[in-house]
Amino acid sequence: MEGLAKIIALFQAKYPGTKVTQEGIPNSEYMAKVSSAVVAGGKPDTGMVITERFADLVAMNGLVDLSARVKAWPGKSNFPDNRWKGLSQDDKIYAVPAFAFVDWMYYRADYFEQAGLSGPPKNFDEFVQAARKLTDPSKGRYAFSMRGGAGAFKYVIDVMEAFGSPIVKDGKPAIDRAAAIEAVTFYSDLFVKEKVVPPSAPNDSYRQIMEAFRTGQTAMVWHHTGSLSEISGALKQGTQFQTAPMPAGPKAQIARVAYAGNGVMKEDNIEAAWQWVSFWGEPEAAIALLEATGYFPASTAALQDPRLTSNKIYDAAVKTLDFGRLPNTFVGAAGWSENVVNPAFQSVLTGQSKPADAVDRMIKGLDAAMR
């Protein structure tokens, strides 16, 4: 919210005749509230768009085609083609990139030093080896903040792909059952067998995994650049904590680079709406948001800013831009992820099902979601 306030202030200084009224919606309620607004004819002028929700928003006619305006916009040259992929469909552009969620790993540099570890793990084997050394239940210390509650699906899917299983291919369900079972077994075993994660993991969502890391209960956490500001407020960059690229799996190194944008949802105030969504693409807005939140710039012009290049904490994110993948996006992706993958994985953590059962449930749910 602090970052948003800074951008609004910068925008109002440039466009004093346009007033922005911001309406915050909790992440978990976003699609439900936006869907209701579309159906009821009460859409806002603009709205934030993330890759995972893009296909659903377009399918419900919740976004206006901005192709002509984008092509005539001088700022377009600062955004490579991959920035637009998750915000475009059928050669039509529906949103302007604003920032990126770049996946990476936070780790306690001081804990690693104490454990005699020279650096962060580069692959899953090194990750498990480091996790064993970093875990000491007698001190209430665990190696890894596992997200097993709301939002767990994100890392379950990533680990499945890291073990070689696609999710969707050529618009059709494509989960490799054997690879997916191996992946879910590996990931759940961190809790079930290795016990290198807190006992609360099956119910831990964002707030819990962040608090565990911030307070020293855990030594590693997987998230994205958007949590940098929060962690930096509790721990010292470089000495207490550091960042690293996500460790590689047996078949692939998976880290998501999700470009979030702003789209126009109705044309009633199209000129002012376009001013607002395109303003987010300017370097000053991007750097203001980065400094307040850690949300990474999507603009190549902003990536060259000394305020970013001079801080080594961002190096892992810059490296990730070279290999990071867009999140899976297809109609029904959000519902399948939240309502099928999440509870299926939780059931493994709680001992209610085996990895094979969970994967079968995911395969069946994906087939139903894509019909």
Side-chain angles (χ1 to χ4, degrees):
M1 299 307 292
E2 180 185 340
L4 181 58
K6 287 184 177 180
I7 291 177
I8 291 176
L10 289 170
F11 176 81
Q12 304 264 200
K14 184 172 182 178
Y15 299 103
T18 302
K19 182 181 179 182
V20 176
T21 301
Q22 149 259 314
E23 183 176 343
I25 302 175
N27 192 43
S28 60
E29 300 174 18
Y30 186 88
M31 283 305 295
K33 290 200 172 185
V34 169
S35 299
S36 296
V38 170
V39 172
K43 293 185 288 187
D45 292 300
T46 68
M48 284 190 172
V49 183
I50 60 173
T51 305
E52 295 95 324
R53 294 168 178 158
F54 173 74
D56 287 335
L57 287 170
V58 173
M60 67 175 73
N61 294 317
L63 295 171
V64 174
D65 178 8
L66 298 175
S67 303
R69 290 177 180 272
V70 168
K71 290 173 183 176
W73 178 47
K76 185 178 185 298
S77 60
N78 291 326
F79 297 90
D81 291 344
N82 66 337
R83 303 318 199 244
W84 302 95
K85 285 183 180 178
L87 305 172
S88 303
Q89 183 174 298
D90 299 327
D91 296 323
K92 295 179 180 179
I93 299 171
Y94 290 91
V96 176
F99 55 88
F101 297 107
V102 182
D103 284 358
W104 59 5
M105 184 178 77
Y106 297 96
Y107 68 97
R108 287 295 299 259
D110 50 355
Y111 288 4
F112 269 65
E113 184 177 355
Q114 293 167 18
L117 296 167
S118 59
K122 295 182 175 62
N123 55 54
F124 284 178
D125 286 341
E126 291 182 6
F127 182 83
V128 174
Q129 292 169 17
R132 290 168 179 160
K133 292 183 178 181
L134 292 162
T135 298
D136 187 350
S138 67
K139 294 181 179 178
R141 183 180 296 178
Y142 296 87
F144 179 53
S145 283
M146 172 180 280
R147 190 167 183 168
F153 64 84
K154 186 236 180 304
Y155 300 102
V156 176
I157 292 169
D158 289 355
V159 172
M160 286 166 63
E161 290 195 27
F163 272 81
S165 174
I167 304 301
V168 173
K169 189 174 182 180
D170 298 327
K172 297 180 180 180
I175 292 176
D176 181 320
R177 184 174 184 271
I181 292 172
E182 188 178 5
V184 173
T185 299
F186 161 79
Y187 194 46
S188 61
D189 274 357
L190 295 173
F191 174 77
V192 176
K193 291 185 178 180
E194 296 288 347
K195 301 190 184 303
V196 294
V197 303
S200 58
N203 294 310
D204 287 350
S205 56
Y206 173 80
R207 178 46 47 209
Q208 288 73 39
I209 64 172
M210 281 296 131
E211 288 303 318
F213 186 77
R214 279 162 33 98
T215 59
Q217 184 187 18
T218 57
M220 296 181 286
V221 62
W222 294 351
H223 201 243
H224 55 64
T225 48
S227 47
L228 177 60
S229 178
E230 177 176 348
I231 291 175
S232 297
L235 302 169
K236 293 180 181 179
Q237 292 184 10
T239 54
Q240 288 185 297
F241 86 94
Q242 186 54 275
T243 59
M246 292 287 286
K251 299 296 184 181
Q253 185 174 17
I254 303 297
R256 304 296 175 181
V257 179
Y259 293 100
N262 288 292
V264 176
M265 300 192 74
K266 63 180 182 182
E267 299 190 67
D268 298 32
N269 299 298
I270 186 65
E271 296 303 328
W274 169 250
Q275 287 176 349
W276 173 244
V277 301
S278 60
F279 181 76
W280 278 74
E282 296 184 13
E284 278 304 312
I287 295 298
L289 190 67
L290 173 69
E291 291 180 333
T293 65
Y295 287 18
F296 219 61
S299 161
T300 55
L303 290 175
Q304 297 168 11
D305 191 286
R307 288 169 287 184
L308 188 153
T309 58
S310 64
N311 191 340
K312 295 296 182 183
I313 204 77
Y314 297 125
D315 287 356
V318 174
K319 290 178 183 177
T320 301
L321 292 177
D322 292 334
F323 69 87
R325 301 184 183 185
L326 289 172
N328 290 289
T329 176
F330 52 88
V331 174
W336 173 71
S337 300
E338 295 170 10
N339 302 323
V340 179
V341 177
N342 233 73
F345 181 67
Q346 281 181 307
S347 71
V348 178
L349 297 183
T350 57
Q352 295 173 294
S353 64
K354 301 294 184 183
D357 300 323
V359 170
D360 288 340
R361 186 173 168 186
M362 294 178 202
I363 292 172
K364 183 178 179 180
L366 184 60
D367 289 340
M370 298 193 69
R371 283 176 186 166

